């Protein structure tokens, strides 16, 4: 319990520090939403100054940070000048899309990586393992960007899978089951890209971690005592190999969120990615800040969950 | 042997990119307005000589047919370049883009930007990582705590969100030269934490080595110890990290330029060339626009292979950070 509290507090502090730093960085940035307007000869500088004053952009920095914190407290996360709306609701619309994509991909990648990694670790000299290794190395060097475009092209030409978005047009009128199937069909390509990008890394790490514990004296002792292979794997080897894998989970989450941003933009998935890009091009700093903070929250929360899980399954941490 | 083969392959690729002005049949900005989206030119053989036929727009638009009435031999060492064809004819090994620019030439030139950004960002990142890692590992205590906590902040964001977030607050419209420095700068600063952590680990153990203690006993200053005794020990880690980081940072440049936040027209980079691939209808009939993407694969593969071989030598786990 104390461990959980400490980790939670640490995560909170991290979020607070990230918010402060990104806010400061946004404030130090040259230009803002109105700076492009200054080029417009029809608007006098006085008008623009008045518009900035109306938005509170000319107040001193600490006051603005406090105001921003207040609006975070109200769930608004500042005011988006490009969308003329509070940032919070905009984020709330998009976060489920990103979460759905990332969570599905994380699950699929790990479900694929664990058995394959264990399999590769147990057959390290076999030609099949060598072939798998070569395939993984090739997959690792194909940019996700290329992978996504090629898959989309394939889908467009065969017509087997929908090419973009999250729902077909008119999906609202379908029955619940048909809607679910529709979403799953839309998920297939983005998830495939993310899994193909992430799984090779995971498989290699699972294999490395498993190899290490398989070579450990305790594994030999257990085998010598006649522990059944299945029990050996699930009761002895996997728990011992779990520690590096859980830190890998946090890492994989960050990578998947990043890759997901790109894939969302490519397939027009209604997640944070396209919103982020629009905000950047519109110089809508409040929205940029909101998206950055949401991504940090997702990653930090994911890491916290991983830490707590590790605490449950790995007794070594409880002793420390 | 494997290592030598990998190094030779990488050297070949780097050489090709470096020699772009000589290997490419055209300049990266040269437009052939009559031939937008021309498909890759087909080579024919007249006896033992490779020749191309003239290209004629067919039924207007973007469809072409070959005019078989005249042959133009493919010549070596023409116009100060390795190969090309004489004036009225055109030779596009990998086709052309929407403005009729030769994709092959642009891929070679674009490789310069992408590769150079990756290398510069890696240098910056390793420099920062060495500095922070050495200071944190050598002094330990509160210096270590502060430096590494600061590093943790850099890992609290998914890297692409971080990269785009930093990019968002910098000016959008910058010249190609500025954007090169901008990209290398932000990619390098975003990515320094992992090398710093690894360097710190090495320094922590190096600090306890007997010869360091001996030098300290003789009254060596902290700076001298770090420079003379500790830095050389970090060499292999830094080298391995370089091979891990370079492909990542090349990809980061490609991603940023692809999203329109990196190097802009008319200077090509693999990322901004792939921007055309965002329009699906162009891709369906002009698949050669994906050439920069495919061109990056052997380079990335080479670096990954090199990283794996180096790690294998040090008996470490394979590369994860991609």
């Amino acid at each position: 319990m104390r461990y959980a509290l400490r980790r939670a507090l640490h995560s909170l502090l991290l979020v607070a520090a990230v918010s402060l730093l990104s806010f400061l960085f946004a404030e130090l940035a040259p230009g803002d939403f109105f700076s492009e307007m200054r080029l417009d000869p029809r608007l006098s500088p006085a008008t623009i100054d008045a518009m900035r004053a109306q938005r509170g952009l000319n107040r001193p920095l600490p006051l603005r940070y406090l105001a921003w914190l207040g609006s975070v407290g109200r769930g608004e996360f500042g005011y988006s000048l490009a969308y003329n709306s509070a940032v919070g609701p905009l984020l709330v619309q998009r976060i489920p899309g990103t979460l759905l994509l990332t969570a599905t991909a994380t699950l699929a990648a790990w479900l694929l990586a664990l058995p394959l990694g264990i399999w590769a670790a147990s057959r390290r000299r076999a030609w099949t393992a060598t072939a798998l290794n070569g395939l993984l190395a090739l997959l690792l060097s194909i940019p996700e960007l290329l992978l996504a475009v090629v898959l989309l092209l394939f889908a467009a030409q065969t017509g087997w899978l929908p090419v973009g978005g999250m729902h077909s047009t008119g999906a609202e009128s379908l029955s619940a089951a048909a809607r679910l199937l529709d979403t799953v069909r839309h998920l297939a390509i983005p998830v495939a890209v993310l899994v193909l990008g992430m799984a090779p890394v995971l498989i290699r790490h699972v294999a490395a971690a498993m190899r290490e514990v398989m070579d450990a004296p305790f594994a030999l002792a257990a085998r010598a005592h006649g522990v059944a292979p299945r029990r050996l794997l699930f009761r002895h080897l996997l728990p011992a190999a779990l520690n590096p894998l859980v830190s890998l989970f946090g890492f994989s989450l960050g990578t998947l969120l990043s890759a997901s941003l790109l894939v969302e933009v490519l397939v027009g998935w209604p997640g944070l990615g396209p919103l982020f890009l629009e905000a950047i091009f519109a110089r809508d700093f409040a929205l940029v800040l909101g998206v950055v903070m949401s991504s940090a929250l997702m990653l930090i929360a994911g890491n916290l969950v991983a830490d707590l899980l590790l605490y449950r399954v790995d007794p070594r941490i409880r002793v420390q | 042997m494997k290592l030598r083969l990998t190094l030779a392959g990488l050297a070949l690729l780097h050489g090709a990119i470096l020699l772009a002005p000589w290997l490419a049949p055209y300049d990266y900005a040269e437009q052939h307005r009559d031939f937008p989206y021309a498909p890759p030119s087909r080579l024919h053989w007249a006896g033992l000589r490779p020749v191309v036929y003239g290209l004629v727009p067919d039924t207007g638009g973007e469809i072409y047919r070959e005019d078989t009435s005249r042959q133009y031999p493919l010549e070596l060492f023409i116009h100060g370049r390795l190969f090309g064809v004489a004036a009225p004819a055109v030779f596009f090994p990998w086709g052309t883009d929407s403005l009729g620019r030769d994709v092959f030439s642009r891929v070679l030139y674009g490789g310069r930007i992408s590769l150079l950004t990756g290398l510069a960002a890696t240098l910056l990142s390793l420099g920062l990582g060495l500095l922070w890692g050495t200071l944190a590992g050598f002094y330990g205590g509160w210096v270590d705590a502060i430096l590494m906590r600061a590093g943790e902040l850099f890992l609290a964001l998914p890297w692409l969100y971080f990269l785009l977030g930093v990019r968002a607050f910098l000016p959008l419209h910058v010249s190609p030269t500025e954007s090169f420095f901008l990209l290398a700068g932000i990619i390098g600063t975003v990515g320094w934490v992992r090398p710093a952590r690894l360097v710190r680990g090495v320094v922590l153990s190096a600090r306890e080595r007997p010869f360091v203690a001996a030098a300290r006993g003789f009254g060596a200053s902290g700076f001298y110890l770090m420079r003379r005794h500790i830095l050389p020990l970090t060499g292999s880690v830094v080298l391995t990290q370089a091979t891990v980081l370079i492909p990542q940072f090349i990809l980061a440049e490609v991603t940023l330029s692809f999203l329109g936040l990196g190097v802009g027209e008319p200077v090509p980079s693999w990322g901004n060339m792939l921007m055309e691939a965002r329009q699906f209808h162009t891709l369906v009939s002009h698949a050669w626009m994906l050439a920069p993407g495919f061109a990056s694969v052997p380079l990335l593969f080479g670096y990954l292979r090199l990283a794996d071989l180096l790690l294998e030598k040090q008996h470490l786990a394979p590369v994860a950070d991609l």
Side-chain angles (χ1 to χ4, degrees), chain B residues 105-115 253 268-270 273:
Chain B
S105 307
R106 285 175 66 77
V107 166
L108 284 179
Y109 276 102
R112 294 176 132 190
I113 299 288
S114 298
L115 185 62
E253 187 280 332
S269 95
W270 288 344
M273 289 178 70

Side-chain angles (χ1 to χ4, degrees), chain A residues 10 17 21 25-26 29 141 143 145 149 152 163 201 204-205 251 254-255 257-258 265 276 281 283 292 295-296 299, chain B residues 152-153 156-161 164 168-170 194 251 258-259 274 278 280 283 290 296 300-301 308 320-322:
Chain A
H10 178 251
L21 279 183
F25 194 76
S141 38
L145 185 62
V149 175
L152 283 175
V163 176
V201 180
R204 289 174 128 201
H205 268 261
F251 167 78
T255 311
L257 278 169
S258 301
V265 171
F276 197 18
F281 282 114
R283 312 233 72 185
V292 167
S295 77
L299 184 57
Chain B
E152 213 171 309
L153 281 179
L157 285 169
W159 68 267
L160 191 55
Y161 280 91
L164 287 183
F169 298 128
L170 298 168
R194 279 172 217 285
L251 276 180
F258 172 77
L259 294 174
L274 282 170
R278 281 173 88 168
F280 241 49
L283 256 190
L290 283 177
S296 69
L300 298 175
F301 184 78
D308 277 354
D321 310 349
L322 238 159

Side-chain angles (χ1 to χ4, degrees), chain A residues 260-276:
Chain A
S260 160
L261 191 159
L262 184 64
V263 171
E264 282 167 21
V265 171
L266 272 166
V267 305
W269 186 264
L272 284 173
L275 183 72
F276 197 18

Side-chain angles (χ1 to χ4, degrees), chain A residues 100-168:
Chain A
L100 176 66
L101 194 57
T102 321
T104 319
T106 307
L107 198 68
W110 279 94
L111 281 182
L112 189 70
L114 275 176
L116 271 178
I118 294 170
W119 176 82
S122 59
R123 285 187 186 45
R124 48 192 100 165
R125 301 240 179 273
W127 69 270
T128 38
T130 318
L132 178 72
N133 245 333
L135 181 69
L136 294 184
L138 189 66
L139 269 178
L140 271 176
S141 38
I142 299 179
E144 265 141 9
L145 185 62
L146 185 64
L147 210 58
V149 175
V150 170
L151 281 186
L152 283 175
L153 204 58
F154 182 69
Q157 278 184 333
T158 56
W160 289 346
L161 286 168
V163 176
M166 189 167 167
H167 306 287
S168 307

Side-chain angles (χ1 to χ4, degrees), chain B residues 170-194:
Chain B
L170 298 168
L172 278 185
H173 308 289
V174 288
S175 76
T177 327
E178 282 169 341
S179 66
F180 164 74
F181 285 109
L182 200 78
L183 280 186
I186 61 177
I187 295 172
T189 21
V190 164
W192 64 268
V193 181
R194 279 172 217 285

